Amino acid sequence: MKGKRKLNLFDKIILWLNCLLCLALLISYLAPVVDPKTFWVVAFFGLAYPPLLLGSLIFIIYWILRKNWYFIVSVLCIAIGYSVLLNNFQLHGPSSYSNGPNQTVINMMTYNVHNFKRYGANNDISTKHEILQVINESQPDVIGIQEFYTRKAGQYDMRDSILRIMGTTWYYFEPAVANTQEAIGIAIFSKFPIVAHGFVPFANKMGENACLYIDIKKGDIQFRVYSVHLQSIRFDNEDYKYLNSIAKQGSKTDGSSARRLGSKLKTAFIKRSDQVKKIKEHAAQCPYPYIISGDFNDTPASYAVNQMAKGIKNAFREGGAGFGRTYNGDFPNYQIDYIMASPQFDVRSYQIIEKKLSDHYPVKSDLVLR
């Protein structure tokens, strides 16, 4: 390759675009450490990390094909953010292991079931049955369910259905919305005895976004499981319609719609920062090993996810593969559901079950408590 190949006008334009993209990529590396409450703009660069990474790879290919050393610029920028890359992309293969002596294996699962209905659709019996089948086939020891919907009786008595599938009587459910016949909230089901439970308050009253925990006893060992549903962006139909028009039809950007979406994202970034701080402070007081799982509503390059993972193990990073996409709704498909565990756990397996039932894929992981 020629190091000083003369650039034509088109190459010069490409080089400037390459430099701008590299600058944006470098700024995105600040998103995991800069609190959105301090400087929220950086959070948007973190959200854009996957397309920025893809753009950098395209520039690398372009300069290699042009036989020019400028490809090194993008390579270096990607290398600088190697830790962020590993949070987003992994190459672990299928794992096989046998349980050793004095090991306690916890098959942990988290699933935002979207009220047991397909995304954008009304409740239908087939979706409910398919979601229950996923849980039945997985047979988790513990499952945290966000957007859990149940009725007191009948075919949508989901509490009773999951208890029967798991062969247990142990569960904890906190409704965010309820009446005499039905309720929606967060639930945790366990095959092992629950000896205590509670929730980490985000506000004065229980809401859609919340954090529950249960203390579990398996034999002589006790551990805690948190199930979280961090701040939702709360896009409405108008927002999704605008996003779809941009993605599918290439429509021109509408200023007022873009500002509305940006404002909702900014608010969610800031609220998740506060919520993670409360959960981490609560977990720091836990006297035994713990697992934090659930719908974080944020990406691997975000402040919320990286602060939550500080000092504990991210099951995706320890045992995942690919980009770990867990959201399959209308918004760009990111990894936003996680399983994390305190250092006393080893991550032996990690799996995303890619069945498009809810707008989230279920995530499960085998955790070994030493």
Side-chain angles (χ1 to χ4, degrees):
M1 291 186 183
K2 297 179 181 179
K4 295 184 178 180
R5 183 188 180 100
K6 187 174 181 180
L7 300 181
N8 58 37
L9 178 61
F10 182 76
D11 281 341
K12 289 178 180 178
I13 293 172
I14 292 297
L15 179 59
W16 273 105
L17 292 174
N18 193 167
C19 290
L20 289 173
L21 186 140
C22 284
L23 177 61
L25 186 64
L26 292 173
I27 294 173
S28 76
Y29 299 153
L30 298 175
V33 294
V34 174
D35 192 333
K37 292 187 297 182
T38 304
F39 191 55
W40 55 266
V41 173
V42 173
F44 284 89
F45 285 87
L47 185 64
Y49 173 77
L52 291 174
L53 176 64
L54 176 61
S56 296
L57 294 174
I58 292 172
F59 279 122
I60 289 171
I61 294 170
Y62 176 83
W63 291 120
I64 288 176
L65 292 176
R66 296 289 292 164
K67 297 182 179 180
N68 196 299
W69 286 103
Y70 282 124
F71 78 90
I72 292 177
V73 175
S74 291
V75 170
L76 288 174
C77 284
I78 293 173
I80 289 170
Y82 185 63
S83 179
V84 178
L85 176 64
L86 291 182
N87 285 339
N88 283 267
F89 183 80
Q90 285 291 336
L91 289 172
H92 296 289
S95 60
S96 61
Y97 66 93
S98 57
N99 297 336
N102 303 318
Q103 287 186 333
T104 298
V105 181
I106 309 300
N107 184 309
M108 182 69 213
M109 190 174 192
T110 182
Y111 199 175
N112 183 325
V113 298
H114 194 61
N115 303 332
F116 295 96
K117 62 183 180 181
R118 293 183 193 274
Y119 187 68
N122 296 321
N123 293 82
D124 65 274
I125 298 300
S126 64
T127 300
K128 181 201 77 166
H129 286 313
E130 289 180 76
I131 290 175
L132 290 176
Q133 184 178 354
V134 168
I135 297 172
N136 186 39
E137 290 173 354
S138 299
Q139 281 298 317
D141 294 323
V142 184
I143 179 170
I145 304 180
Q146 303 83 46
E147 296 188 31
F148 178 77
Y149 170 80
T150 188
R151 295 182 65 87
K152 286 188 179 280
Q155 61 186 358
Y156 272 96
D157 184 352
M158 306 309 296
R159 175 171 40 199
D160 181 66
S161 296
I162 294 176
L163 289 173
R164 282 190 285 105
I165 283 174
M166 293 178 62
T168 185
T169 59
W170 301 101
Y171 76 97
Y172 174 42
F173 173 47
E174 280 287 350
V177 179
N179 57 37
T180 57
Q181 296 299 321
E182 58 189 357
I184 299 173
I186 301 179
I188 314 177
F189 295 83
S190 171
K191 288 185 177 180
F192 312 123
I194 297 175
V195 297
H197 62 76
F199 64 93
V200 181
F202 290 165
N204 293 330
K205 63 178 182 177
M206 182 74 179
E208 172 192 345
N209 299 115
C211 173
L212 308 188
Y213 69 88
I214 57 173
D215 291 344
I216 296 172
K217 193 163 187 179
K218 183 180 181 183
D220 296 329
I221 295 175
Q222 195 161 322
F223 61 96
R224 176 172 293 175
V225 174
Y226 292 89
S227 182
V228 309
H229 190 190
L230 298 185
Q231 184 65 38
S232 305
I233 302 171
R234 303 193 189 284
F235 283 162
D236 54 30
N237 291 335
E238 185 181 2
D239 297 321
Y240 285 120
K241 184 178 179 180
Y242 172 68
L243 287 170
N244 282 331
S245 70
I246 296 295
K248 295 179 180 179
Q249 302 172 16
S251 302
K252 291 183 179 180
T253 302
D254 175 65
S256 62
S257 296
R259 285 192 297 272
R260 185 180 66 250
L261 265 63
S263 177
K264 290 183 178 182
L265 285 165
K266 172 188 171 183
T267 299
F269 288 141
I270 293 171
K271 286 189 175 182
R272 285 193 290 265
S273 170
D274 283 330
Q275 291 165 357
V276 168
K277 182 180 179 182
K278 291 174 180 177
I279 295 169
K280 293 292 283 187
E281 288 175 348
H282 193 279
Q285 304 302 315
C286 183
Y288 24 79
Y290 60 86
I291 300 165
I292 300 176
S293 66
D295 175 6
F296 289 19
N297 271 314
D298 223 333
T299 70
S302 68
Y303 180 81
V305 171
N306 283 269
Q307 291 304 303
M308 190 79 87
K310 187 175 289 187
I312 60 178
K313 297 178 180 178
N314 183 336
F316 170 76
R317 182 155 179 166
E318 299 282 328
F323 279 101
R325 185 170 63 104
T326 68
Y327 183 72
N328 61 72
D330 289 337
F331 195 61
N333 300 155
Y334 286 115
Q335 179 186 173
I336 62 173
D337 302 86
Y338 302 86
I339 296 175
M340 301 181 182
S342 60
Q344 299 93 328
F345 287 95
D346 287 329
V347 177
R348 291 296 178 85
S349 69
Y350 175 91
Q351 182 185 3
I352 297 169
I353 303 171
E354 295 188 4
K355 291 193 175 181
K356 206 165 187 177
L357 301 171
S358 161
D359 55 344
H360 293 248
Y361 293 133
V363 178
K364 66 178 184 177
S365 179
D366 282 341
L367 305 172
V368 179
L369 180 56
R370 297 189 303 274

